[in-house]
Amino acid sequence: MARVKTGLENFVEAPPAWLSGHRLGLLCNHAAVDRNFGHARELINRQLPGQLKALYAPQHGFFADKQDNMIESDDMIDPVLDIPVYSLYGRTRIPDKTMFEPIDTLIVDLQDAGTRVYTFIYTMSYCLEAAQRFGKKVLVLDRPNPINGSMVEGNCLTAACASFVGRYPIPMRHGLTIGELAGLFNDEYGIGCDLEVIAMQGWNRAMYFTDTGLPWIAPSPNLPTPATAVVYPGQVLWEGTNVSEGRGTTQPFELFGAPYIDIKPILAVLEEGRLPGAVLRPAAFEPTSNKWARTLCQGFQIHITDPYKFKPYITTLKLIQAVRFHHRDRFEWKSGPYEYEFDRNPIDLIIGDKDIRKRLENFDDINDIEASWQSDLNAFIELSRKYHLYT
C-alpha cells in the first residue's frame, strides 16, 4: 500500500519560514489528524508554540457531533489549547471581522468528500473571501480526494441553483483535492486572496482513500467509511426526496428505502448490467432518526464491486427514476427548508439544475440526460487541469 503524506504532515515537518511571528488560525474539525492520529491543533501548537490563536469549525461542529443540515453549533473554548473555537455553521456561515481579528494567517485542514454538495468547501471559500477582505493570508494543507482525482461526473451547477451546497459551476463529482479547489475558487471566481497550498507527497489521481495508507476519520457523522464517500455523490440526491438515504442507520447513503417501496419491479428494471460496478442487495431497515424514523423501510444496500466502473451520480439518477416510475402515487420531492434555502426545491439545489429534475419527472432516458451536460463537463475538466498539483 502507498504511503501518502498529507499537507499537515509536510507542514509539521517543515513549517514555512515566513510564518515566524504570525498569529495563526486553523479551520478544521476532529478529522484533521496525521497517520498516528495526532490532531492538527496539537501538532501545530507543538511545532509553533503559542502562535495558534483561534480555531474555526465547519458544519457539524468541531467534533462533528451535529447530525444533519441546519443543526447549528455554537462558539466554544477548545478544551485542549484553551483558545476560542468560532463556529462557521451557527449564527453565521461567513466569518466576520471579529472572528479574524486574532490572526494573521488562516490554516485550512479539512477532509473533503469529493462532491459538490459537501459544505466544507464552501466554508473554505467564504474564508478565502474574508481573508481577502480583511488582509489575511490563507495556507491550505492538502488532503486526498477520497473518491480519486481522475473521475469527474455530473452536470455543472447553474447560477439559478446556487446555494450553500453549491456556490460555483462545478460538477457533482469534481475530481479535485481541497487544495486544488482552493486554487480554482480563488483564481477563477474572483476571490483573489493571498493563498498558498502545502501539497501531499505520494498521492496520485487514481487513488481512492483506501489506497493511501492513511486512517479514515469520518469528516461528518454520515460519512462513516471510505465506502460511504464513494456512493455519496449519487446517494445524496435522496435527501431531496421522501425516500430515506439511510440517515439514522449505521450505513447512511449505502442504504436507501421507504415503507412503500416494492423491491421486485425496481430490481427488474435495473437488472442486466444497468448499474456497472455495483450490486443492489435487497435490504430492510428501520431508521432511528430522520425520515421514516422507527418505521420499517424496504429498499437496498449498494455494494461497490468495481469502483472504477461505478458512476455514483448516474446510478442514483437511474434509481430515482425507477422508484418514481413504480411508485408515482407515493414518491415525492421533499419540501424545504434545505441548507437555509426556504423557497427553492431541495432537489434542485442538490442536482444543481432545475431542467434535470424536470427531465426526471418526464422519464427522459438517463443516458440522454447525461449526454446533455457533457460539453459543460468537458469544459470544466479542461479548466480544472490548470489547478492539478498531482499527476
Side-chain angles (χ1 to χ4, degrees):
M1 181 179 288
R3 183 178 173 87
V4 173
K5 284 180 69 176
T6 63
L8 170 64
E9 291 169 324
N10 287 328
F11 173 87
V12 170
E13 196 171 279
W18 57 261
L19 277 176
S20 178
H22 279 229
R23 300 170 303 156
L24 305 178
L26 175 61
L27 168 61
C28 70
N29 67 4
H30 71 145
V33 300
D34 67 3
R35 67 183 54 260
N36 298 312
F37 301 94
H39 192 269
R41 73 192 189 284
E42 297 174 77
L43 297 172
I44 293 170
N45 186 61
R46 196 176 304 147
Q47 186 66 269
L48 301 169
Q51 288 185 234
L52 203 53
K53 301 298 185 182
L55 302 172
Y56 304 85
Q59 184 180 6
H60 306 294
F62 188 78
F63 298 106
D65 52 305
K66 304 298 185 186
Q67 274 287 324
D68 208 345
N69 79 81
M70 294 178 64
I71 299 179
E72 299 175 348
S73 55
D74 296 325
D75 296 346
M76 56 181 255
I77 299 297
D78 175 49
V80 173
L81 298 185
D82 198 33
I83 59 177
V85 181
Y86 295 105
S87 171
L88 295 178
Y89 198 84
R91 63 180 176 82
T92 182
R93 284 160 299 290
I94 302 172
D96 58 31
K97 188 174 183 179
T98 302
M99 291 177 170
F100 270 28
E101 276 179 349
I103 69 170
D104 304 306
T105 295
L106 177 68
I107 300 171
V108 177
D109 189 8
L110 290 170
Q111 177 59 63
D112 182 36
T115 305
R116 182 181 66 226
V117 298
Y118 206 60
T119 63
F120 289 12
I121 61 176
Y122 305 116
T123 294
M124 176 181 71
S125 75
Y126 283 132
C127 286
L128 295 177
E129 291 174 345
Q132 195 282 329
R133 191 161 57 250
F134 304 132
K136 312 297 181 178
K137 188 177 177 73
V138 177
L139 181 65
V140 177
L141 309 183
D142 212 4
R143 287 187 176 270
N145 182 323
I147 55 176
N148 84 39
S150 61
M151 298 172 71
V152 183
E153 185 187 357
N155 56 287
C156 292
L157 179 85
T158 63
C161 292
S163 72
F164 190 50
V165 289
R167 295 193 70 199
Y168 307 113
I170 65 175
M172 182 61 94
R173 184 179 184 179
H174 53 68
L176 298 172
T177 68
I178 195 163
E180 293 171 335
L181 277 172
L184 176 76
F185 292 170
N186 197 47
D187 293 355
E188 299 297 331
Y189 305 124
I191 298 176
C193 84
D194 186 358
L195 171 69
E196 286 190 28
V197 177
I198 293 189
M200 298 176 278
Q201 286 177 276
W203 189 78
N204 68 67
R205 310 204 78 80
M207 285 182 172
Y208 281 87
F209 196 89
T210 49
D211 301 319
T212 65
L214 295 169
W216 176 262
I217 308 294
S220 53
N222 289 288
L223 282 183
T225 69
T228 320
V230 176
V231 301
Y232 181 73
Q235 292 296 91
V236 68
L237 295 173
W238 295 114
E239 290 188 3
T241 75
N242 68 345
V243 173
S244 168
E245 66 275 14
R247 287 179 184 271
T249 77
T250 58
Q251 293 169 307
F253 299 108
E254 293 178 71
L255 287 170
F256 67 98
Y260 60 80
I261 287 181
D262 182 353
I263 63 173
K264 288 182 181 179
I266 307 299
L267 278 177
V269 76
L270 292 171
E271 63 185 3
E272 299 177 0
R274 289 197 62 205
L275 301 179
V279 170
L280 281 185
R281 182 183 63 83
F285 59 93
E286 189 174 300
T288 59
S289 60
N290 211 277
K291 281 181 267 181
W292 305 111
R294 298 174 297 282
T295 304
L296 183 65
C297 293
Q298 303 293 333
F300 303 91
Q301 182 177 352
I302 295 183
H303 295 270
I304 308 303
T305 55
D306 186 338
Y308 293 100
K309 291 182 179 177
F310 178 62
K311 297 172 71 174
Y313 191 56
I314 292 300
T315 296
T316 302
L317 288 177
K318 290 178 178 179
L319 293 171
I320 287 175
Q321 196 173 66
V323 172
R324 283 196 71 251
F325 182 81
H326 290 286
H327 299 288
R328 302 179 205 211
D329 57 331
R330 300 292 304 278
F331 177 91
E332 296 175 0
W333 301 120
K334 188 179 178 183
S335 58
Y338 184 81
E339 288 298 354
Y340 300 95
E341 297 291 340
F342 294 85
D343 300 322
R344 293 181 288 171
N345 292 336
I347 192 61
D348 291 343
L349 302 177
I350 301 168
I351 290 177
D353 188 328
K354 294 178 183 179
D355 289 341
I356 293 174
R357 186 252 305 162
K358 292 174 183 176
R359 294 188 69 177
L360 288 173
E361 291 173 343
N362 291 334
F363 298 106
D364 287 8
D365 185 274
I366 298 297
N367 294 325
D368 291 341
I369 297 175
E370 182 181 17
S372 72
W373 67 58
Q374 199 59 51
S375 61
D376 287 344
L377 183 62
N378 290 340
F380 172 82
I381 291 170
E382 188 62 31
L383 173 68
S384 67
R385 285 196 184 107
K386 291 167 53 179
Y387 300 94
H388 283 187
L389 300 174
Y390 316 91
T391 56

